[in-house]
């Protein structure tokens, strides 16, 4: 990838990440509290809906930037003809690689954010300090495997679907989709991917919120899913599905629309610069 493309992906990804995380933070808090093992009301209900926002604000720019740099680079590296049947596979591999890299930044931010969301009376920095003191760096990466196992299936659905919808829309109107059209495709792709991966999100939340030393805290996704199934059944596995779908559909609209618009704008500026 040339330098303008690299920088455009970095900045556009960061801008899109910050935008969507801050705008949709209240919905994310509600979803986390619905999935909390202590229950929605005990986890805070509708109180302190912005608890944990400093952690999200700090992590969102580098997290999204890392994802899109990796995503665009792998797409470029695996370049295929646009009509090739291998194109969806290229998008799947690129999205998976992007998630593995981005989760190195996302998981510590997510651990602190989710604990703050269910402990609204405790300051974010205090939660961060307590994790380091009680569990060390390993505590900040608790749930890394479950997060990657949630994000890769999510991206395997979302990004090929997004790219395919854009390609179909472009073909139907005989020109490349506008940024708002890309955003609409992102909303549909995100909402669908969110629905089918909700059980993995529930497992990730339970692992991150579990008490240190408990069996759930070990990070075994299947064990966490089995525990939820035994105690709450299908409803437990899909706890928070509607706020998750709403947040990610709207998030897909903002995130992918903002990324597409900012990326095009930066590339245009790069071409005009001497």
């Amino acid at each position: 990838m040339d330098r303008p493309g690299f920088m455009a992906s970095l900045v556009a990804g960061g801008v899109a990440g910050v935008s969507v995380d801050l705008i949709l933070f209240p919905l994310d808090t509600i979803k986390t509290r619905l999935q909390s093992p202590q229950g929605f009301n005990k986890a805070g209900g509708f109180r302190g809906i912005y608890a944990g926002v400093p952690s999200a604000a700090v992590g969102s720019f580098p997290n999204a930037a890392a994802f899109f740099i990796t995503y665009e680079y792998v797409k470029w590296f695996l370049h295929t003809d646009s009509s090739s049947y291998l194109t969806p596979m290229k998008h799947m591999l690129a999205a998976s690689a992007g998630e593995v890299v981005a989760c190195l930044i996302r998981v510590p931010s997510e651990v602190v954010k989710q604990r703050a969301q269910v402990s609204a009376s405790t300051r974010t920095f205090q939660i961060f300090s307590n994790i380091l003191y009680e569990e060390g760096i390993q505590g900040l990466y608790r749930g890394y495997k479950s997060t990657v196992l949630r994000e890769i299936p999510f991206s395997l659905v979302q990004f090929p679907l997004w790219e395919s919808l854009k390609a179909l829309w472009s073909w139907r109107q005989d020109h490349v989709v506008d940024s708002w059209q890309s955003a609409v495709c992102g909303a549909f792709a995100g909402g669908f991917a969110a629905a089918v991966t909700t059980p993995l999100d529930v497992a990730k939340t339970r692992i991150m919120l579990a008490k240190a030393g408990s069996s759930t805290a070990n990070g075994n996704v299947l064990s966490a899913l089995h525990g939820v199934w035994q105690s709450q059944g299908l409803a437990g596995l899909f706890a928070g599905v509607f706020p998750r779908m709403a947040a990610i559909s709207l998030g897909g609209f903002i995130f992918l629309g903002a990324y597409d618009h900012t990326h095009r704008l930066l590339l245009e500026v790069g071409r005009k610069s001497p």
Side-chain angles (χ1 to χ4, degrees):
M1 194 186 309
D2 57 14
R3 187 173 175 182
F6 179 86
M7 288 302 296
S9 295
L10 186 151
V11 176
V15 168
V18 171
S19 301
V20 74
D21 282 352
L22 295 184
I23 291 170
L24 300 181
F25 194 85
L27 275 175
D28 184 69
T29 300
I30 291 169
K31 184 266 304 181
T32 297
R33 291 174 180 177
L34 283 168
Q35 294 177 350
S36 169
Q38 59 189 299
F40 179 71
N41 290 325
K42 287 185 178 179
F46 291 102
R47 301 183 306 276
I49 211 76
Y50 276 95
V53 75
S55 175
V58 168
S60 58
F61 189 99
N63 161 41
F67 173 83
F68 273 112
I69 287 171
T70 308
Y71 179 69
E72 296 290 357
Y73 179 80
V74 174
K75 279 205 307 180
W76 170 80
F77 185 76
L78 299 174
H79 178 69
T80 58
D81 184 85
S82 59
S83 61
S84 172
Y85 65 92
L86 293 174
T87 297
M89 186 65 68
K90 177 183 71 173
H91 294 149
M92 288 179 180
L93 290 172
S96 299
E99 292 296 354
V100 170
V101 173
C103 280
L104 293 171
I105 300 167
R106 182 181 306 151
V107 170
S109 171
E110 187 90 349
V111 168
V112 175
K113 180 198 74 177
Q114 291 205 315
R115 293 195 190 183
Q117 286 174 327
V118 298
S119 307
S121 59
T122 309
R123 290 181 179 274
T124 301
F125 184 75
Q126 185 180 343
I127 291 171
F128 174 74
S129 301
N130 288 345
I131 293 171
L132 284 180
Y133 179 75
E134 295 172 6
E135 303 176 61
I137 293 292
Q138 186 177 353
L140 289 173
Y141 280 94
R142 187 204 289 184
Y144 177 81
K145 287 186 294 184
S146 62
T147 304
V148 170
L149 286 174
R150 177 198 67 175
E151 297 295 356
I152 286 180
F154 178 86
S155 291
L156 288 178
V157 175
Q158 183 189 34
F159 281 89
L161 184 55
W162 177 53
E163 300 277 10
S164 298
L165 288 171
K166 287 196 300 177
L168 178 62
W169 203 336
S170 298
W171 175 73
R172 290 290 298 270
Q173 65 186 9
D174 205 27
H175 66 80
V176 176
V177 292
D178 297 324
S179 296
W180 73 267
Q181 293 171 322
S182 176
V184 171
C185 294
F188 182 83
F192 182 76
V196 299
T197 58
T198 295
L200 294 173
D201 187 56
V202 171
K204 186 269 308 177
T205 299
R206 292 297 180 95
I207 289 167
M208 286 186 171
L209 296 180
K211 291 183 179 180
S214 66
S215 58
T216 306
N218 291 335
N220 188 311
V221 177
L222 290 178
S223 176
L225 288 171
H226 182 66
V228 174
W229 171 259
Q230 281 194 316
S231 61
Q232 295 176 277
L234 191 63
L237 290 175
F238 282 90
V241 64
F242 293 115
R244 174 170 161 80
M245 283 181 67
I248 293 179
S249 292
L250 186 53
F253 184 89
I254 298 168
F255 185 60
L256 297 175
Y259 173 76
D260 210 43
H261 182 72
T262 309
H263 190 259
R264 291 183 194 184
L265 186 64
L266 291 172
L267 288 178
E268 187 65 29
V269 170
R271 281 194 290 268
K272 288 180 179 178
S273 299

